[in-house]
Amino acid sequence: MLYREKSAGKHIAEMIHAVTWMIDDPPEIELENMYIHSKKKVLVDAIVNSASPDLMGGDTGTVDWEIHRMVDRHLLPMRKTFNQKICEELSQGNDRMHIRDNEIIKRIRCSRGKAVMTGGYGFCRYVIHAVGVQYQDKNIPSEKQRKMFDTCCSSSVQIMESCYHEIIKLVCLYPDIKNVAIPIIGSGNYGFDMEFASRIAVSAVGNALAEWKQNDQESFETSALENIIFFVKSESDCSIINKIIYNYMPIYEKGHQVVCQDSFTAQKQYYNEILIHDEKRGYFAIAGMFRRILLRIRMFFGVLSNLAKEIVGRCDWQRRRLAVEATTAVKLLFPILGFLLVHYCEIIGKTNWVHFIGIVLFYFMADTVTYLAALIMMADIQKPSANVIRSLLLLFFNYAEVSLDMAYFYYVYHLGGVGVAEALEFGVLDVRGTGTAAVYLPDIILIYGNAALKFFFLTMVFGYLVQHMHLRKFKGE
């Protein structure tokens, strides 16, 4: 992919490229401008190494091995190795440099999901070491269980995304970096499918650049950074990455961020996360079982909401958020429509319509309640919204929706016995009119169910406020 005619300012869509490249010395990459059919070579300032946690090199033929081999060539006259230089740099002046009798001591020098930078020692200016994670947990005991998990855990995706965010953070700190070459981390020995790993890579890098531009536009515009270049060995893999870039390009041109996978896949990953890691986190017995059951229920009742996000939002993160807000508004309007149909359109005798509306409202209400319950019970594995005001407004609309749903159920069950105002008082304020004591089972379910929902929302608001409460610092303090 590649260059366009430059317009005012930097455009993320114009900075991201994919090429076939075998690491060579000097590290030059040829980029093609598809619009004017010209090519140019760029010298790589920083190359990303898909490293292991000890940073001491990988198996023969891997990117890690190739980079170590190239740097070792330049260090040969100094009778040093890249491993020794890495240990010296990361010791930060400490006498214990983890080198004993010219033997490198194995230890974790970079955690998974993190990245560290060292010198390139003549091969290139910088080497950024990023440590990914296995696609499937090696602790899964049997092959049969591995086949059950047709996708990885959510934490694995988050760790992979974190690698690329950490890479861009380091690039931000070095304003002299002009061209960065990045392999598709995880697509080799770690077992990620190339297409999936590429979507994670392109989306994470693009989102990190978008956040940089949004948070500090002056730093972004004045930095020397021009090209982020994903490199692979085969033309087929390069075509996969280019296709992903072209799909994301219109989103980046609007200044939006992207998501790398659909909601249904994400829910499968959450479920795998719970099955494999919950016991390690202390969720066992009742807590673990409840989380598994809740997510299964959520998968059923969240189908329509997830479909709305996929149809309206697709890969656009901002549009997906808009789809969530639109779905919330539709679910709020539906019980109002139900009241109008039952009260004014003379379908009282047509019980099929009344029951159909009730079933739809129950499904919507269950969708809302399970969604909010999942936010509480699975806050450790899901990524909640960082916008407190938006979250509180959505919570208010969710409360209004569920209250109107309960008012509709109460009104339909006591049809002819209570008015719309009384039904609304029951649904919103939990106030019952005279002569509506809980005698029959449906009444008991309505009354105690309504009270339980009120308590649930009160707990949600209290927990949310406590979680986001910060001590305010006033001027003059």
Side-chain angles (χ1 to χ4, degrees):
M1 189 200 125
L2 289 107
Y3 297 93
R4 296 181 164 192
E5 293 297 325
K6 293 290 184 182
S7 54
K10 293 181 180 179
H11 295 272
I12 295 170
E14 299 175 358
M15 299 171 66
I16 302 175
H17 316 280
V19 299
T20 54
W21 182 55
M22 302 292 289
I23 299 173
D24 55 10
D25 190 7
E28 286 186 331
I29 296 178
E30 187 173 70
L31 298 179
E32 181 180 0
N33 186 327
M34 296 179 61
Y35 299 95
I36 59 176
H37 303 288
S38 66
K39 296 181 180 180
K40 66 179 291 187
K41 285 189 175 181
V42 298
L43 185 65
V44 173
D45 302 296
I47 185 168
V48 174
N49 177 24
S50 181
S52 56
D54 60 14
L55 307 186
M56 295 292 102
D59 297 335
T60 303
T62 62
V63 170
D64 195 3
W65 178 81
E66 287 284 355
I67 292 174
H68 273 75
R69 184 170 66 91
M70 292 293 179
V71 177
D72 283 342
R73 284 183 184 177
H74 288 267
L75 290 172
L76 190 60
M78 301 171 57
R79 296 188 177 181
K80 287 277 189 178
T81 65
F82 193 26
N83 284 346
Q84 289 173 321
K85 284 294 187 179
I86 289 171
C87 291
E88 290 174 5
E89 279 202 59
L90 299 183
S91 68
Q92 297 179 344
N94 193 329
D95 291 333
R96 297 176 62 191
M97 293 187 299
H98 309 289
I99 303 178
R100 183 177 56 210
D101 298 330
N102 292 324
E103 178 185 356
I104 305 299
I105 299 176
K106 293 283 186 179
R107 62 181 290 270
I108 294 177
R109 295 177 175 84
C110 182
S111 302
R112 297 192 184 278
K114 301 295 183 181
V116 295
M117 182 179 285
T118 63
Y121 301 102
F123 170 59
C124 60
R125 192 175 296 173
Y126 305 106
V127 176
I128 300 174
H129 307 265
V131 183
V133 69
Q134 289 284 344
Y135 179 76
Q136 287 188 333
D137 197 311
K138 289 183 176 180
N139 296 324
I140 299 175
S142 67
E143 185 65 28
K144 181 179 178 181
Q145 286 179 309
R146 286 193 181 95
K147 290 179 179 178
M148 287 172 59
F149 305 122
D150 56 346
T151 184
C152 60
C153 298
S154 59
S155 60
S156 298
V157 177
Q158 291 171 12
I159 289 172
M160 297 298 290
E161 290 175 333
S162 175
C163 285
Y164 297 104
H165 281 270
E166 292 292 317
I167 291 167
I168 299 302
K169 282 182 183 178
L170 289 173
V171 172
C172 293
L173 298 176
Y174 292 80
D176 57 331
I177 295 177
K178 189 174 182 181
N179 303 299
V180 182
I182 307 177
I184 303 300
I185 301 170
S187 62
N189 294 339
Y190 282 169
F192 276 79
D193 173 73
M194 174 57 73
E195 196 270 341
F196 184 35
S198 299
R199 280 194 280 114
I200 294 174
V202 177
S203 63
V205 166
N207 291 343
L209 291 174
E211 289 174 9
W212 180 12
K213 186 175 183 178
Q214 181 180 359
N215 297 333
D216 191 353
Q217 186 169 359
E218 184 177 5
S219 168
F220 178 78
E221 296 292 350
T222 56
S223 70
L225 183 64
E226 288 186 3
N227 301 298
I228 302 287
I229 308 161
F230 291 105
F231 66 91
V232 287
K233 294 181 179 180
S234 71
E235 288 288 348
S236 59
D237 290 343
C238 185
S239 297
I240 290 172
I241 304 172
N242 269 323
K243 184 178 179 180
I244 293 168
I245 293 173
Y246 281 123
N247 288 337
Y248 291 165
M249 184 188 297
I251 302 173
Y252 288 135
E253 286 178 343
K254 292 187 291 186
H256 293 182
Q257 296 188 35
V258 303
V259 292
C260 65
Q261 59 191 347
D262 61 74
S263 302
F264 301 101
T265 303
Q267 284 191 331
K268 287 182 181 179
Q269 291 169 357
Y270 292 139
Y271 192 72
N272 290 350
E273 186 76 22
I274 289 172
L275 285 179
I276 297 172
H277 298 298
D278 257 16
E279 192 168 344
K280 302 174 189 175
R281 298 187 178 110
Y283 298 104
F284 50 87
I286 295 176
M289 180 182 68
F290 182 81
R291 278 159 63 95
R292 290 193 296 272
I293 293 173
L294 175 61
L295 194 51
R296 281 293 189 185
I297 295 172
R298 177 72 200 136
M299 286 180 179
F300 174 74
F301 286 110
V303 169
L304 292 181
S305 296
N306 289 336
L307 277 176
K309 283 193 287 186
E310 299 309 319
I311 294 171
V312 177
R314 298 183 182 273
C315 299
D316 190 321
W317 182 71
Q318 276 85 339
R319 287 184 61 183
R320 288 170 73 93
R321 286 165 64 88
L322 180 62
V324 171
E325 295 169 5
T327 303
T328 302
V330 169
K331 291 194 294 185
L332 178 60
L333 292 175
F334 209 88
I336 299 174
L337 178 63
F339 268 113
L340 292 175
L341 288 174
V342 173
H343 189 68
Y344 293 107
C345 297
E346 298 181 353
I347 63 168
I348 295 175
K350 301 175 183 177
T351 54
N352 290 339
W353 275 102
V354 174
H355 292 159
F356 173 75
I357 295 171
I359 292 170
V360 173
L361 290 182
F362 178 80
Y363 186 89
F364 284 166
M365 185 171 67
D367 176 25
T368 299
V369 172
T370 54
Y371 172 74
L372 295 175
L375 286 181
I376 297 174
M377 298 300 299
M378 285 176 279
D380 56 331
I381 62 175
Q382 291 184 340
K383 294 186 286 186
S385 172
N387 191 317
V388 178
I389 295 176
R390 176 183 180 272
S391 298
L392 286 174
L393 283 173
L394 287 178
L395 191 59
F396 171 76
F397 286 124
N398 291 147
Y399 175 78
E401 173 217 334
V402 171
S403 298
L404 290 175
D405 290 342
M406 292 303 296
Y408 175 85
F409 296 141
Y410 188 76
Y411 179 71
V412 168
Y413 179 69
H414 292 285
L415 202 56
V418 298
V420 174
E422 290 178 271
L424 290 175
E425 284 182 352
F426 170 78
V428 178
L429 303 175
D430 198 20
V431 176
R432 284 176 286 144
T434 58
T436 56
V439 178
Y440 301 105
L441 182 60
D443 263 324
I444 295 173
I445 294 174
L446 284 171
I447 292 168
Y448 287 99
N450 192 41
L453 286 173
K454 299 294 182 292
F455 179 77
F456 172 76
F457 274 94
L458 181 64
T459 305
M460 273 289 301
V461 172
F462 180 77
Y464 190 85
L465 290 176
V466 169
Q467 186 178 359
H468 291 84
M469 191 177 291
H470 302 286
L471 291 175
R472 296 187 179 185
K473 194 170 184 179
F474 295 94
K475 291 182 179 180
E477 290 185 0

